[in-house]
Amino acid sequence: MDNLKLAELLFPHITKTTEYYEEKYPPRNLPEGARVTRIAPSPTGYLHIGALYGAVTDERTAHLTNGVFYLRIEDTDSKREVSGAADLFITMFEKYGMKFDEGAVSGGDKGDYGPYRQSERTEIYQTFAKQLIAEGKAYPCFCTDTEIEKIRNEQEAAGENPGYYGKWAVWRDAEIEKVEQALAEKKPFVVRLRSTGDPSKRVKLTDAIKGDLEFPQNNQDFVILKSDGTPPYHFAHAIDDHLMRTTHVVRGEEWLATLPWHVELFAALGFKRPVFCHTANIMKLDNGSKRKISKRKDPEADVAMFLREGYPQSALIEYVLTLLNSNFEDWRRANPTADKNEFPFSFKKMGVSGPLFDFEKLYDICKDVVSRMDAETVYENVVAWTAEYDPEFNAVLTKDPQYAKDILSIGRGGSKPRKDFGLWKEVREYMGFFYNELFAPEYCFPENLAKEDIIAVLEKYPSVFDENDDQQQWFEKLKTVASSIGFAADTKEYKKNPDAFKGHVGDIAMMLRVALTGKQVSPDTFAVIRILGKDEMTNRLKKCIDSIKG
Ligand code: GLU
């Protein structure tokens, strides 16, 4: 068979050579040890939490080594493509702070190794496929689906392994005349690799996460170009990761099954293999047993859900880091205020089996992360979140930014900042009462407090209040109010002799809290009064008295 002639026959429109592309995309000039990684989503739906998990691995690996992190859109399967998904991914990754040095970024491509959308790379794939054909390493196959099915049935009947290989690969050694005739009849064809593998031999390889791997060589003549001239994942992966000079291919463990194909492809193409890094799938507990997070069943599969529910983006990333590296939590405890990017992320600390997604833990991390933010940052985040998901609260908040920031400053700073909320959606419930337009109190006082006593306290309080009091003086005043109506000024005193009092100073504070905030749980009452100011405080106490009196 004249392979050169065959290559020309099949791809007359391909005029560039593989050398042309090798020169166009030369090895990168990077410092020793710099790693080049990519995230390569297929725009077939929403952004899966697993993709974010992979992206953090890629991003940390590249940026901790002064390497390059890029985004490639794997959109060769137009049947499965969901319109707008690619742009959605780009914006989502940006929202999560994934800084791409190159790739398919908003507004087009950035970088010298593009195009970064596979749909724009068909000519490149065909050039390499043509070269493989010219070298006798690939060939066209004109089998119809029915013929492929017939082969499968025969294999099944004969108890042989399924697939297109060896003697079953009917077009493997077809005469060129037969190919010419099929082309003349305009029969569609795929291009297959002419496998030289032998399954009785083993391939050995070290995966950066899974460790040493060993598997039988591939012997399938798998498809490298589909009948529409575009490549399936395997071929595109080999060409792109080679030409884009990826050093570390981080991807889900579902690709382990076809790793023998990829190993053979890299060898056939004469490419140096990247380091493979197969990540374990994120799992969840379902009725006591572990299973993969499912796109269909689990809302947490969709990263957009976390945005909608107001999980701070940086907290989700921080949680992903705890899933990725077993020592992250210890590091965080030892470095509570350090930037998470200072953490020495490593493949070695990644688990071989899938980590469990734990919402409670994520929520704790959200509270920690938010408690470490300053009021300004919290304000900006809440404004951004409410702009999209709660416009009513957004309008209220942004009317007087300083007022909102004063509220958000309560309990911040110091070595033990308060952890009042973890999700942006909780902020309205937390601080809405500060705004008259949102203040709709139900005044649920603890049952042990008598109405007359509450009214007495609320009536008396403005007369003792002094705006210049510090927190201690303020509390002293509460004590005097307590004593004046038969409550203990001191809780210890009350505990020693509960029958001698109606209650204690804590009850007085609770009466004020409920009257001013409408709730039994609220930020510090002293801080609340300071922010509301004397007039508003007095109004609210009156309003509460009126409501009790009915
Ligand atoms: N497009 C592939 C996927 O979405 C990418 C796998 C890879 O990272 O190589 O699964």
Side-chain angles (χ1 to χ4, degrees):
M1 162 82 86
D2 183 343
N3 292 320
L4 276 178
K5 184 174 167 200
L6 179 62
E8 255 344 292
L9 198 61
L10 295 169
F11 294 101
H13 58 284
I14 293 295
T15 51
K16 296 205 174 70
T17 61
T18 55
E19 289 80 18
Y20 166 83
Y21 289 113
E22 293 288 351
E23 257 170 58
K24 182 166 180 198
Y25 307 112
R28 291 167 184 271
N29 192 6
L30 290 171
E32 178 86 23
R35 294 173 172 184
V36 181
T37 63
R38 85 297 191 275
I39 165 101
S42 304
T44 51
Y46 59 73
L47 186 66
H48 192 278
I49 183 76
L52 192 63
Y53 179 78
V56 175
T57 310
D58 282 305
E59 191 276 337
R60 287 293 75 215
T61 302
H63 290 155
L64 280 170
T65 58
N66 297 317
V68 176
F69 169 49
Y70 71 90
L71 172 68
R72 184 168 73 224
I73 299 289
E74 307 217 319
D75 55 353
T76 53
D77 194 346
S78 50
K79 277 194 246 72
R80 290 180 57 226
E81 188 163 342
V82 172
S83 109
D87 285 337
L88 175 87
F89 284 1
I90 296 172
T91 11
M92 288 291 268
F93 281 127
E94 279 171 1
K95 282 196 171 153
Y96 281 91
M98 298 287 110
K99 294 210 169 54
F100 295 108
D101 306 299
E102 279 179 21
V105 292
S106 337
D109 274 357
K110 172 173 129 189
D112 296 335
Y113 288 80
Y116 296 92
R117 284 174 174 79
Q118 288 185 332
S119 55
E120 295 167 22
R121 300 173 63 78
T122 310
E123 191 182 356
I124 305 179
Y125 304 126
Q126 294 190 354
T127 306
F128 280 84
K130 183 176 181 181
Q131 175 69 22
L132 285 181
I133 293 171
E135 291 171 1
K137 293 176 178 169
Y139 63 91
C141 163
F142 292 84
C143 277
T144 60
D145 288 349
T146 327
E147 283 163 338
I148 294 281
E149 202 182 311
K150 192 166 155 257
I151 295 174
R152 196 180 319 119
N153 291 340
E154 283 172 26
Q155 287 166 332
E156 213 172 271
E160 297 209 34
N161 286 336
Y164 199 92
Y165 63 96
K167 67 173 184 190
W168 303 100
V170 287
W171 281 89
R172 195 177 159 103
D173 296 312
E175 297 298 328
I176 200 153
E177 292 75 24
K178 202 174 157 199
V179 173
E180 279 171 328
Q181 193 191 336
L183 285 177
E185 288 168 17
K186 299 223 173 326
K187 283 193 177 160
F189 68 91
V190 297
V191 176
R192 291 180 180 273
L193 182 80
R194 185 191 303 275
S195 174
T196 54
D198 172 356
S200 68
K201 296 198 182 119
R202 318 274 299 166
V203 184
K204 285 189 184 166
L205 175 126
T206 303
D207 183 285
I209 298 169
K210 300 274 178 192
D212 289 339
L213 301 176
E214 206 187 310
F215 39 80
Q217 284 182 359
N218 167 63
N219 70 336
Q220 296 280 337
D221 287 0
F222 57 87
V223 174
I224 59 171
L225 280 188
K226 295 181 280 186
S227 56
D228 63 1
T230 67
Y233 169 79
H234 317 286
F235 194 58
H237 146 58
I239 305 297
D240 292 347
D241 282 318
H242 170 70
L243 291 180
M244 295 182 184
R245 311 291 168 179
T246 311
T247 63
H248 289 66
V249 168
V250 178
R251 61 184 179 189
E253 62 192 352
E254 63 276 16
W255 296 108
L256 278 173
T258 41
L259 185 53
W261 294 17
H262 309 145
V263 168
E264 184 167 14
L265 257 182
F266 275 86
L269 288 159
F271 296 163
K272 180 174 184 289
R273 267 199 324 249
V275 178
F276 287 106
C277 320
H278 288 93
T279 56
N281 288 315
I282 307 181
M283 311 293 276
K284 74 176 285 176
L285 272 184
D286 188 358
N287 278 327
S289 57
K290 249 179 155 188
R291 66 162 172 80
K292 236 169 88 170
I293 288 187
S294 140
K295 260 189 160 178
R296 235 170 358 95
K297 287 192 268 181
D298 305 316
E300 66 267 40
D302 183 359
V303 176
M305 185 282 288
F306 295 93
L307 280 182
R308 246 186 347 260
E309 293 293 298
Y311 285 83
Q313 283 101 303
S314 56
L316 184 60
I317 298 291
E318 181 125 353
Y319 178 58
V320 165
L321 281 166
T322 70
L323 294 179
L324 284 170
N325 265 202
S326 50
N327 54 334
F328 181 80
E329 282 178 84
D330 287 344
W331 177 85
R332 178 47 89 203
R333 263 189 291 276
N335 304 278
T337 55
D339 185 322
K340 61 184 179 309
N341 289 348
E342 287 168 27
F343 170 69
F345 178 86
S346 139
F347 285 125
K348 292 203 181 72
K349 298 286 181 191
M350 286 178 77
V352 171
S353 61
L356 264 188
F357 197 92
D358 177 347
F359 268 99
E360 262 175 53
K361 193 150 171 193
L362 168 61
Y363 185 60
D364 285 346
I365 290 181
C366 290
K367 283 186 152 181
D368 282 346
V369 165
V370 173
S371 76
R372 288 196 300 266
M373 289 176 177
D374 58 22
E376 180 76 36
T377 312
V378 176
Y379 176 75
E380 279 164 17
N381 275 284
V382 179
V383 166
W385 186 84
T386 53
E388 203 158 340
Y389 301 103
D390 188 354
E392 186 193 38
F393 187 38
N394 181 269
V396 172
L397 273 179
T398 51
K399 227 173 29 189
D400 183 350
Q402 194 50 50
Y403 184 67
K405 288 179 210 169
D406 287 346
I407 301 169
L408 290 167
S409 301
I410 301 175
R412 239 158 246 291
S415 60
K416 279 218 157 69
R418 286 187 58 91
K419 298 181 182 173
D420 290 305
F421 51 87
L423 312 184
W424 305 134
K425 74 168 181 189
E426 295 170 347
V427 175
R428 180 178 178 144
E429 171 63 24
Y430 169 74
M431 65 184 269
F433 70 86
F434 276 101
Y435 298 92
N436 281 337
E437 51 272 65
L438 302 177
F439 184 52
E442 283 176 16
Y443 299 128
C444 274
F445 287 93
E447 279 173 12
N448 59 319
L449 302 178
K451 276 188 184 175
E452 315 77 71
D453 290 330
I454 299 173
I455 293 171
V457 168
L458 303 187
E459 278 175 348
K460 183 164 184 118
Y461 186 68
S463 65
V464 301
F465 176 76
D466 183 340
E467 264 164 320
N468 301 315
D469 284 348
D470 64 19
Q471 185 140 17
Q472 211 184 337
Q473 291 161 327
W474 173 80
F475 198 63
E476 286 306 319
K477 297 238 172 105
L478 292 196
K479 288 184 174 184
T480 54
V481 175
S483 313
S484 74
I485 58 157
F487 281 62
D490 188 288
T491 359
K492 275 198 215 120
E493 204 185 323
Y494 172 76
K495 279 195 185 135
K496 261 193 265 161
N497 197 1
D499 293 338
F501 303 99
K502 293 189 197 168
H504 56 80
V505 63
D507 295 323
I508 309 300
M510 178 57 87
M511 294 173 191
L512 288 176
R513 164 169 289 173
V514 174
L516 296 174
T517 70
K519 300 184 292 185
Q520 291 189 19
V521 180
S522 79
D524 177 52
T525 311
F526 173 71
V528 169
I529 295 176
R530 281 226 148 161
I531 292 172
L532 287 176
K534 184 165 183 179
D535 291 349
E536 181 57 22
M537 175 196 80
T538 314
N539 289 342
R540 287 194 178 193
L541 296 184
K542 277 206 195 101
K543 183 174 164 155
C544 181
I545 295 167
D546 290 348
S547 144
I548 300 174
K549 287 184 175 166

